[in-house]
Amino acid sequence: MSLDPCSFCSFTRCVTKHLNLNLHLDFDRRVIRGKVALTIEALEDRFSALTLDTRDLKLMSVFANGQPTRFNLGPKHSFKGTPLDITLPFDISRGQQVIVEVTYETSPSASALQWLTPEQTAGKKHPYLFSQCQAHHCRSMVPCQDSPSIKHTYYAQVSVPKDLVAVMSAMRDGQEVDPQDNNRIIYRFRQPVPMPSYLIAIVVGALESREIGPRSRVWSEKEFVDKAAFEFSETENMLKTAEDLAGPYVWGQYDILVLPPSFPYGGMENPCLTFATPTLLAGDKSLSNVIAHEISHSWTGNLVTNKTWEHFWLNEGHTVYLERMIGRCLESEQFRQFKAMGGWKDLQDSVNTFGANNPLTNLVPSLQDVDPDDAFSSVPYEKGFALLYYLEELMGGPEVFMGFVKSYIQLFAYSSVSTEEWKNYLFTYFKDKVDVLNKVDWNAWMFTPGMPPVKPQYDTTLADACIALSQKWLKAKEQDLGSFKESDVKRLSSHQLTEFLSLLLQENPLPLSHVKKMQEVYKLNACTNSEIRFRWLRLCVRSRWEEAVPLALKMATEQGRMKFTRPLFREVVNFEKYRDQAVQLFLAHRAGMHPVTAGLVAKDLKVNTSDSTTP
């Protein structure tokens, strides 16, 4: 069995089968007091010692089958945390189980947990907590075998102040007043499907929910909940489409949780409870990609999981492939081709950012001594998709290749897989086309940095209109501006409008007269779709349109999705006249931002982190 370079746990010698969690949330101190009972199965005879992953945890005691047990913490590693070595007071044989119970407390700076003050929420009255454990942060919330190669079920009881609600990546299993303190409520959860530790997730806040389908609810603060219920009404339709493609949905419930605006990402595929950014509540289809992606993870990632983070493309490449197949079923094949072209551009951007010789642009990188957070990019998503699309063309088209993907999912369901196991099954499934598969340059695809060895020829039908319109604007002289009409964009979908603006952003800034004319005929300031608005405001600021600056700064501060906030701030800072205003605004808002976002924007703006926060 291969080892996991991102974990200390001894998973060749034992595996966790189940976790039983008791969590008590202390919002004043920003810590969780926890007790976890791990059901551990021995994989060898005379088994008597094991290692768990921890990070910044305060340990009180360890018991094995109720007996006090010797334990000690090893040296702290920069990103892997601290190994917890446990010596059992007895031996067990291969196949036998022991229950190891650890009592502990998290640190206020636990990397998995984001504690929000009331002013960082939509409601402004109550505090809020959310977790983000992927890739290797669960160990800062629960001592565990924090490797995606190990899958287990879990049960949890969570005690919170009585005016708050807790939800987890699991089925809800009732609630009761906390017998120790009648100002608190205990919420209970069960996850009967084995899953990796990085998918344990918790959210606590002033939450409400609405039913949006036979197996789906949407959860958020009450300020967003009705809008969210309306926006996510297509969820069941998407789930059914995914089931037709990939097989039955095994997780029971599929709920969506809309986080406060400071959530720094687009979405996270926690089982039974997808996390989503509120920037998706835009009044059109910008959210369908994110939700199609997170729904697809229910099969690729959550049901079949990468064995280590070096094989992350197995999660993300297949999920993008499945997400675009859903788009093909619900929209058209041309739509899938259009999204694939956009993905190739994203891959090009990532390769340019890392550098074409950077080993982190390998499809299968080595993560020996590499923090998996530093390796995160669109490479596993889009290089992975490009490989699968290339194989689809070689093997006989989307129906044929989707047959393989579905078969792969059913074969490896409930387990974790390496690239080699995936490839061996590909050769087994297409045993009559082995001569074609042998011609693939596997080394160039898997273990060589930079762009893939083959560029797929995508159908440009839907992109042609965007290219033509952007060229017309780029070539237009002052006297041609009268030829632009509102009807130019009426025929474009929101995805095409996004692409049109992206193409303009790749060129030199348009003259100010052009963007003013564009606003006059297309009325883009009124657009609420975050993807379109984000690109439009960047275009305006870049052309030095002063009226756009307050709109750009407003968007940068009223939500905290890093994809939008960082480029908007950078754009305004490049407009010398407004540089100081942007910095002052950042300093005034910094306390309300997610610490990861605040730290990165401070770097972008070259702000000294010890500066005063008063403007």
Side-chain angles (χ1 to χ4, degrees):
M1 214 172 161
S2 62
L3 287 172
D4 185 338
C6 307
S7 166
F8 289 116
C9 78
S10 35
F11 65 72
T12 49
R13 301 178 39 241
C14 64
V15 290
T16 304
K17 291 301 203 184
H18 181 74
L19 289 185
N20 203 324
L21 286 164
N22 261 299
L23 305 176
H24 181 282
L25 273 65
D26 184 335
F27 277 91
D28 296 331
R29 292 177 53 229
R30 296 188 160 203
V31 299
I32 296 177
R33 296 209 303 278
K35 182 192 277 188
V36 59
L38 304 98
T39 304
I40 305 265
E41 182 171 309
L43 298 177
E44 59 184 25
D45 282 326
R46 293 188 300 285
F47 173 79
S48 64
L50 67 148
T51 303
L52 299 178
D53 288 302
T54 76
R55 181 171 180 169
D56 301 329
L57 296 178
K58 193 158 119 199
L59 297 177
M60 319 313 185
S61 66
V62 181
F63 284 81
N65 291 352
Q67 301 180 38
T69 296
R70 287 213 324 276
F71 66 92
N72 72 292
L73 289 166
K76 185 173 174 172
H77 181 277
S78 60
F79 60 83
K80 285 201 270 190
T82 310
L84 166 59
D85 296 315
I86 297 170
T87 310
L88 302 179
F90 47 76
D91 288 1
I92 60 172
S93 306
R94 181 187 170 98
Q96 286 189 310
Q97 295 184 340
V98 56
I99 293 181
V100 175
E101 192 174 80
V102 185
T103 307
Y104 66 96
E105 186 176 279
T106 63
S107 153
S109 58
S111 58
L113 301 174
Q114 171 59 26
W115 301 87
L116 301 181
T117 59
E119 47 276 15
Q120 283 171 287
T121 66
K124 312 287 184 209
K125 284 198 187 64
H126 296 289
Y128 195 105
L129 166 75
F130 67 83
S131 67
Q132 171 60 33
C133 287
Q134 194 178 29
H136 57 306
H137 299 290
C138 187
R139 64 195 72 177
S140 71
M141 182 169 80
V142 183
C144 60
Q145 288 186 297
D146 197 7
S147 167
S149 61
I150 290 177
K151 299 175 106 163
H152 46 69
T153 52
Y154 80 85
Y155 194 87
Q157 302 185 65
V158 184
S159 170
V160 301
K162 69 166 191 267
D163 43 8
L164 301 180
V165 172
V167 284
M168 288 190 79
S169 53
M171 303 290 281
R172 298 191 305 288
D173 196 39
Q175 63 190 75
E176 62 187 14
V177 175
D178 188 334
Q180 320 272 284
D181 178 351
N182 58 12
N183 286 315
R184 298 177 70 89
I185 295 178
I186 290 178
Y187 288 90
R188 289 192 296 262
F189 304 93
R190 62 188 166 83
Q191 180 49 272
V193 182
M195 54 166 240
S197 55
Y198 75 84
L199 292 174
I200 296 175
I202 183 168
V203 173
V204 180
L207 299 173
E208 293 190 5
S209 73
R210 301 280 184 273
E211 192 172 292
I212 52 170
R215 47 188 162 173
S216 299
R217 305 186 75 82
V218 66
W219 295 82
S220 79
E221 295 177 81
K222 71 168 184 287
E223 289 73 12
F224 290 131
V225 74
D226 290 316
K227 187 165 175 47
F230 174 75
E231 293 288 352
F232 294 121
S233 58
E234 281 299 290
T235 300
E236 179 62 23
N237 192 17
M238 259 190 221
L239 266 173
K240 285 200 173 113
T241 305
E243 286 188 299
D244 290 341
L245 289 164
Y249 178 77
V250 303
W251 303 91
Q253 194 72 9
Y254 182 83
D255 288 3
I256 298 170
L257 173 100
V258 180
L259 283 126
S262 65
F263 183 55
Y265 304 103
M268 177 63 205
E269 67 270 16
N270 298 309
C272 310
L273 187 71
T274 280
F275 285 15
T277 165
T279 65
L280 296 178
L281 305 180
D284 64 33
K285 290 179 176 162
S286 69
L287 66 86
S288 61
N289 299 328
V290 174
I291 296 304
H293 184 88
E294 305 309 339
I295 280 177
S296 299
H297 267 306
S298 307
W299 289 268
T300 47
N302 298 6
L303 188 59
V304 180
T305 306
N306 46 227
K307 197 161 266 183
T308 73
W309 297 113
E310 297 169 307
H311 305 282
F312 189 42
W313 84 272
L314 292 173
N315 278 18
E316 296 301 349
H318 287 86
T319 297
V320 173
Y321 185 82
L322 203 45
E323 163 206 341
R324 290 184 182 147
M325 289 299 281
I326 293 174
R328 177 178 189 258
C329 297
L330 296 179
E331 301 269 346
S332 67
E333 172 61 15
Q334 288 176 341
F335 176 75
R336 180 175 83 120
Q337 297 279 327
F338 176 71
K339 296 314 269 183
M341 279 178 77
W344 186 268
K345 276 211 296 245
D346 291 343
L347 176 56
Q348 189 78 64
D349 287 347
S350 276
V351 169
N352 292 343
T353 305
F354 275 119
N357 296 322
N358 190 318
L360 291 182
T361 63
N362 286 11
L363 188 60
V364 186
S366 164
L367 295 185
Q368 207 59 49
D369 305 316
V370 176
D371 183 335
D373 285 350
D374 293 344
F376 184 81
S377 75
S378 66
V379 170
Y381 295 74
E382 295 298 348
K383 204 179 205 179
F385 171 82
L387 171 59
L388 296 173
Y389 182 82
Y390 169 63
L391 291 170
E392 171 196 297
E393 292 201 298
L394 287 179
M395 294 296 104
E399 284 78 12
V400 174
F401 198 72
M402 196 57 225
F404 161 72
V405 173
K406 183 174 188 174
S407 176
Y408 157 77
I409 291 166
Q410 301 309 316
L411 180 68
F412 291 105
Y414 308 104
S415 63
S416 302
V417 190
S418 68
T419 299
E420 199 175 349
E421 291 168 301
W422 169 85
K423 188 179 156 194
N424 288 341
Y425 186 60
L426 178 76
F427 275 74
T428 304
Y429 183 88
F430 290 113
K431 54 181 180 295
D432 49 346
K433 295 177 184 162
V434 165
D435 49 335
V436 186
L437 288 173
N438 277 327
K439 291 198 183 82
V440 173
D441 189 344
W442 293 102
N443 187 54
W445 275 101
M446 303 274 182
F447 305 110
T448 308
M451 292 300 285
V454 183
K455 182 179 180 176
Q457 290 305 300
Y458 295 121
D459 176 328
T460 62
T461 307
L462 290 180
D464 288 341
C466 316
I467 296 164
L469 185 59
S470 66
Q471 284 302 316
K472 194 177 164 194
W473 277 98
L474 290 164
K475 295 194 173 99
K477 305 271 183 287
E478 296 291 322
Q479 62 269 27
D480 307 327
L481 292 180
S483 68
F484 292 103
K485 302 276 180 292
E486 189 187 2
S487 57
D488 302 342
V489 293
K490 273 285 169 275
R491 292 187 301 275
L492 300 184
S493 69
S494 58
H495 300 286
Q496 287 174 302
L497 194 48
T498 301
E499 176 67 7
F500 159 69
L501 294 168
S502 294
L503 289 165
L504 292 176
L505 283 169
Q506 291 187 323
E507 307 291 336
N508 291 327
L510 287 169
L512 182 55
S513 53
H514 286 47
V515 292
K516 285 186 169 176
K517 184 68 182 179
M518 201 180 286
Q519 166 56 21
E520 189 189 312
V521 289
Y522 301 162
K523 305 194 172 38
L524 292 169
N525 281 341
C527 182
T528 58
N529 174 312
S530 308
E531 297 285 351
I532 294 170
R533 187 171 185 79
F534 160 65
R535 289 169 177 82
W536 164 241
L537 292 173
R538 286 180 69 194
L539 200 68
C540 292
V541 172
R542 211 175 268 193
S543 298
R544 300 294 182 254
W545 191 7
E546 302 198 21
E547 281 173 35
V549 171
L551 299 175
L553 289 173
K554 182 171 190 279
M555 184 171 186
T557 50
E558 70 188 4
Q559 56 76 48
R561 190 173 170 191
M562 286 194 281
K563 174 183 176 179
F564 300 145
T565 292
R566 292 181 68 189
L568 285 166
F569 265 117
R570 285 199 296 258
E571 214 70 70
V572 176
V573 159
N574 286 336
F575 193 165
E576 198 51 49
K577 182 174 176 184
Y578 291 97
R579 189 198 146 75
D580 291 346
Q581 190 185 328
V583 171
Q584 292 300 328
L585 193 78
F586 165 64
L587 292 173
H589 280 266
R590 179 165 62 182
M593 294 169 103
H594 189 284
V596 175
T597 313
L600 289 167
V601 174
K603 272 187 194 158
D604 293 341
L605 304 190
K606 303 184 172 56
V607 172
N608 184 339
T609 40
S610 59
D611 283 358
S612 142
T613 49
T614 47

